[in-house]
Amino acid sequence: MTTTVDAAEVEKFDRLAAEWWNPNGKMKPLHKFNPVRLTFLRQTISRHFERDPRGEAPLAGLRILDIGCGAGLLSEPLSRMGAEIVGADAAATNIEVARRHAEHSGVDVDYRNTTAEALAEARETFDVVLAMEIVEHVADVNAFVAACATMVRPGGLTVFATLNRTPKALALAIVAAEYVLRWLPRGTHEFSKFVRPAELEAAFTSNGLSPRDVVGVAYNPLRDEWSIGKDAEVNYMITGVRPLA
């Protein structure tokens, strides 16, 4: 069976797994980023499935895959919103950390040490497939998108979040974040693996998904916070829909 997993990337994040749930550790930027993407997901998924995002369990009854889930920073809160969550990651240590944290937190998440390709081959399907901050770490973007797209049920939704391949992203996401501010360990990202929105839109279309609007996610250093906006030059999120017919 072919795989888009990059073994070097998996090993790298295995070593970081213990830091996932430390809000002041190596994953601090992700913890700061998390509220923005959770708000976006809650609103976007609720709107697509005609739910009230302000409800107590707006995602109840929806089966959601969080591929590249890490230690569950998204999976756990989405489960609390009522969704049936499958959290998948190729790094075994991440999954073990996620399972232990979910058990201590009393959250029900089906964590699996597996890949998108294996899940697709097993004919798993979901109402929503999330690939958040993972596509820039895979070995073959088109093959990864194909595997994810296969698992989106008719009428379902996929959401990808990644980094744009622009000079601004190189300056901020690598030079500033890894070398100057040291938010992330050096070598966390490779600029050549960053993906332009048009490239993801093309991959969505070729795999039967209808791309939706691209939204930017920008950091304000004065407020020390992230927000959704029009600037997609560095971080962005993009949705795709599987037509009903």
Side-chain angles (χ1 to χ4, degrees):
M1 180 179 66
T2 59
T3 178
T4 60
V5 173
D6 187 320
E9 294 287 331
V10 172
E11 182 181 357
K12 176 167 57 185
F13 282 94
D14 246 359
R15 295 193 301 269
L16 292 173
E19 292 283 350
W20 276 100
W21 286 97
N22 180 2
N24 296 310
K26 295 178 181 178
M27 294 299 173
K28 183 177 180 179
L30 199 52
H31 281 270
K32 286 185 173 292
F33 190 38
N34 220 32
V36 170
R37 59 182 188 164
L38 277 170
T39 298
F40 175 81
L41 290 174
R42 183 177 187 138
Q43 293 176 344
T44 300
I45 297 171
S46 296
R47 182 172 62 249
H48 180 76
F49 290 98
E50 299 181 343
R51 310 290 183 85
D52 181 0
R54 298 166 296 181
E56 184 176 343
L59 308 186
L62 298 177
R63 189 169 193 244
I64 299 178
L65 171 64
D66 181 10
I67 191 72
C69 65
L73 296 186
L74 276 178
S75 293
E76 283 198 19
L78 290 173
S79 177
R80 291 191 179 96
M81 295 180 200
E84 175 191 344
I85 301 292
V86 174
D89 202 289
T93 307
N94 285 349
I95 290 299
E96 186 58 34
V97 171
R99 285 172 177 161
R100 289 198 298 266
H101 193 274
E103 183 178 352
H104 292 317
S105 302
V107 180
D108 184 17
V109 178
D110 180 5
Y111 284 117
R112 306 184 193 180
N113 176 209
T114 189
T115 66
E117 294 75 34
L119 289 167
E121 189 173 278
R123 298 181 182 275
E124 295 271 7
T125 61
F126 302 86
D127 298 295
V128 182
V129 173
L130 305 178
M132 311 295 283
E133 291 78 44
I134 185 65
V135 70
E136 68 270 22
H137 298 292
V138 303
D140 185 326
V141 172
N142 288 328
F144 178 75
V145 171
C148 291
T150 297
M151 294 185 282
V152 181
R153 293 170 177 169
L157 184 74
T158 187
V159 184
F160 278 54
T162 190
L163 288 154
N164 202 344
R165 197 168 66 254
T166 64
K168 186 175 180 180
L170 173 62
L172 296 181
I174 295 182
V175 177
E178 296 183 19
Y179 290 85
V180 179
L181 300 175
R182 297 185 179 180
W183 284 349
L184 299 169
R186 293 183 180 184
T188 296
H189 294 113
E190 294 180 31
F191 181 67
S192 63
K193 287 190 172 184
F194 289 5
V195 186
R196 295 190 178 102
E199 294 168 346
L200 271 184
E201 289 175 334
F204 280 12
T205 300
S206 65
N207 286 287
L209 299 173
S210 298
R212 293 296 187 260
D213 292 340
V214 174
V215 298
V217 187
Y219 176 70
N220 185 324
L222 297 178
R223 296 182 178 180
D224 189 26
E225 64 182 19
W226 293 86
S227 62
I228 300 292
K230 296 181 180 180
D231 184 0
E233 286 290 299
V234 182
N235 296 81
Y236 68 94
M237 292 186 278
I238 179 174
T239 58
V241 175
R242 169 76 68 185
L244 286 171

